[in-house]
Amino acid sequence: MPAITYELIKQDPATGARAGIIHTPHGSFPTPIFMPVGTQASVKGVSPEELHDMGAGIILSNTYHLFLRPGSDLVREAGGLHKFMNWDGAILTDSGGFQVFSLGDLRKITEEGVTFRSHIDGSKKFLSPEVSMKVQMDLGSDIVMAFDECIPYPADYDYAKASTARTTRWAQRCKEVMTSPHQGLFGIVQGGMYKDLRTRSVNELVEMDFPGYAVGGLSVGEPKELMYEMLDHTVEQLPKDKPRYLMGVGTPDCLVEGVMHGIDMFDCVFPTRVARNGTAMTWNGRLVMKNAEFTSDFRPLEEGCDCYACRNFSRAYIRHLVRANEIFGLRLLSLHNLRFLQRFMHEMRQSIIEERFGEFRRNFLDNYNYGAK
Ligand SMILES: Nc1cc(CSc2ncc[nH]2)c2nc(N)[nH]c(=O)c2c1
Ligand SMILES: [Zn+2]
């Protein structure tokens, strides 16, 4: 029995949207789903108990960060990441390649792997398919991501072609050493913004028969229309009986479009990052809490939200905390934003099950104010 299985509940008849359940050794969760990001074994400012209370079924963590600090040997000694951070839901770990590009001082990529300097102390480090798999097996995450190169945007065709071919060879190397029966290894589709390379990447990875597939190399600065075009082309070629994960996405409008194209899993640092910048996410767009308009606004952040912040505090109070640089203000906004995304995905899933996804999508996009209010 594979560690990770996908159960289709309802396919939208008019679009790629679908509702399902993903089963893992640390519990099952409904899809489409948004996964809170806990980069350094903590969802910033939020406790595991609060994550459970808001309905989070799976969180993300990072090979790159935990490899550098505290090191995967310590986490293994602690009994794995679930024990170390006292989270008994599912965990997905990213493989480290992406963070090397965005954080480490990149030295060089070879067939063997990536040599770089740690962003923490500048020491020389090496990550490869084998090292990434060893770290993720030490961490004991339920879903392990293959070690890949996220092709930057823009990239010329020859670079994208060579890099994608190497990512496929790296995926094979990951599969050979990822031997834990309690963990599922997901392949990551690359190919840049070239449809023929995307197709080749899909075909080569599907050939290896992974329990799930991620669409990588998107949300890397390309125009949204280009992201949707690549998604449209890529997702329809992926197996219907396996989960599809769109990495690093995203804002509510991108979540709706991703679901429409058949994506089941999403992650983004957005909700906690904008919270730390004093911004609340609502159905009609973002609220910049420092704005004077909230000075005497004694309503909750969002009418009808059942989160701890909205049940107990007003916009005026949260504005005060943010302006006074009180940590509690940022915590309340993180709790609200994460709960908002859980509610958002739940409503979207219900609309698919009740065959009104098209109406949900039109309604949401008509009311969503893309800019910050
Ligand atoms: N946009 C984007 C984002 C991420 C980070 S997902 C993440 N890791 C930790 C938190 N979130 C990616 N990760 C990998 N491995 N490959 C990609 O192509 C890629 C693309
Ligand atoms: Zn709320």
Side-chain angles (χ1 to χ4, degrees):
M1 179 71 171
I4 306 294
T5 56
Y6 176 74
E7 184 185 348
L8 177 65
I9 299 296
K10 177 81 178 172
Q11 172 67 53
D12 179 47
T15 70
R18 63 197 205 151
I21 301 173
I22 292 179
H23 302 283
T24 84
H26 280 89
S28 303
F29 51 83
T31 61
I33 191 160
F34 179 86
M35 304 181 281
V37 175
T39 299
Q40 303 183 105
S42 148
V43 177
K44 291 184 173 32
V46 179
S47 71
E49 184 184 8
E50 289 168 330
L51 287 168
H52 267 302
D53 291 351
M54 70 172 69
I58 178 170
I59 62 168
L60 251 91
S61 200
N62 257 323
T63 293
Y64 171 86
H65 293 82
L66 298 173
F67 166 63
L68 295 183
R69 181 176 55 192
S72 68
D73 292 345
L74 179 75
V75 180
R76 189 188 62 249
E77 276 171 53
L81 193 50
H82 289 87
K83 280 231 176 41
F84 192 48
M85 68 183 290
N86 194 23
W87 166 252
D88 61 6
I91 297 177
L92 181 151
T93 42
D94 196 7
S95 49
F98 180 80
Q99 289 74 28
V100 167
F101 299 112
S102 45
L103 283 169
D105 167 7
L106 183 62
R107 292 284 297 269
K108 67 175 184 292
I109 309 175
T110 65
E111 184 66 24
E112 203 33 40
V114 183
T115 308
F116 62 99
R117 286 202 176 282
S118 159
H119 74 285
I120 296 172
D121 59 14
S123 61
K124 205 168 164 186
K125 300 290 180 184
F126 175 69
L127 262 180
S128 67
E130 292 75 15
V131 172
S132 177
M133 292 305 106
K134 191 259 180 209
V135 169
Q136 294 183 76
M137 284 192 277
D138 284 347
L139 300 178
S141 46
D142 303 278
I143 299 177
V144 167
M145 299 311 294
F147 188 71
D148 65 327
E149 179 187 358
C150 174
I151 298 171
Y153 174 77
D156 65 45
Y157 183 83
D158 292 345
Y159 184 84
K161 184 176 178 186
S163 169
T164 300
R166 182 171 52 212
T167 285
T168 295
R169 293 193 296 274
W170 281 357
Q172 181 58 43
R173 284 166 53 186
C174 289
K175 192 173 162 66
E176 281 159 13
V177 299
M178 216 304 281
T179 53
S180 162
H182 310 296
Q183 297 178 272
L185 173 64
F186 280 21
I188 304 180
V189 177
Q190 291 294 342
M193 304 302 162
Y194 302 100
K195 289 184 179 177
D196 62 320
L197 299 183
R198 287 266 165 194
T199 297
R200 179 179 305 180
S201 181
V202 168
N203 292 341
E204 290 170 348
L205 293 176
V206 170
E207 187 71 28
M208 296 180 212
D209 191 22
F210 289 108
Y213 298 89
V215 181
L218 295 180
S219 189
V220 287
E222 77 281 11
K224 285 185 180 179
E225 293 62 39
L226 184 52
M227 176 169 81
Y228 300 149
E229 190 185 340
M230 287 300 118
L231 257 190
D232 192 34
H233 174 75
T234 305
V235 178
E236 64 184 10
Q237 300 177 56
L238 289 171
K240 295 205 175 323
D241 62 341
K242 303 282 175 62
R244 297 94 171 249
Y245 164 26
L246 178 54
M247 304 188 86
V249 173
T251 50
D253 53 315
C254 293
L255 296 175
V256 173
E257 300 307 87
V259 165
M260 183 176 72
H261 286 102
I263 296 290
D264 306 303
M265 299 160 69
F266 300 87
D267 90 275
C268 190
V269 292
F270 179 80
T272 37
R273 180 165 297 169
V274 297
R276 290 197 303 282
N277 297 337
T279 301
M281 298 172 72
T282 75
W283 284 92
N284 301 316
R286 282 176 266 172
L287 308 179
V288 178
M289 294 317 295
K290 275 187 174 165
N291 284 357
E293 67 179 288
F294 302 120
T295 306
S296 316
D297 187 339
F298 298 106
R299 295 174 296 173
L301 291 172
E302 187 169 43
E303 296 295 349
C305 178
D306 58 359
C307 84
Y308 175 68
C310 292
R311 281 185 287 110
N312 294 286
F313 307 98
S314 69
R315 293 171 171 193
Y317 175 65
I318 291 171
R319 175 177 183 271
H320 158 65
L321 293 182
V322 171
R323 293 180 74 233
N325 285 319
E326 282 291 337
I327 295 170
F328 187 49
L330 307 185
R331 244 178 58 74
L332 289 174
L333 286 168
S334 296
L335 289 171
H336 169 77
N337 288 353
L338 288 171
R339 177 63 188 152
F340 166 76
L341 282 170
Q342 296 296 327
R343 289 188 293 121
F344 183 73
M345 301 309 271
H346 174 77
E347 293 302 315
M348 192 147 47
R349 184 173 193 270
Q350 281 312 108
S351 77
I352 296 167
I353 289 171
E354 295 163 14
E355 293 203 8
R356 51 180 179 75
F357 170 72
E359 180 197 330
F360 172 93
R361 174 172 175 268
R362 269 187 308 280
N363 204 335
F364 172 75
L365 294 177
D366 289 350
N367 289 298
Y368 188 66
N369 157 18
Y370 289 74
K373 238 192 335 198

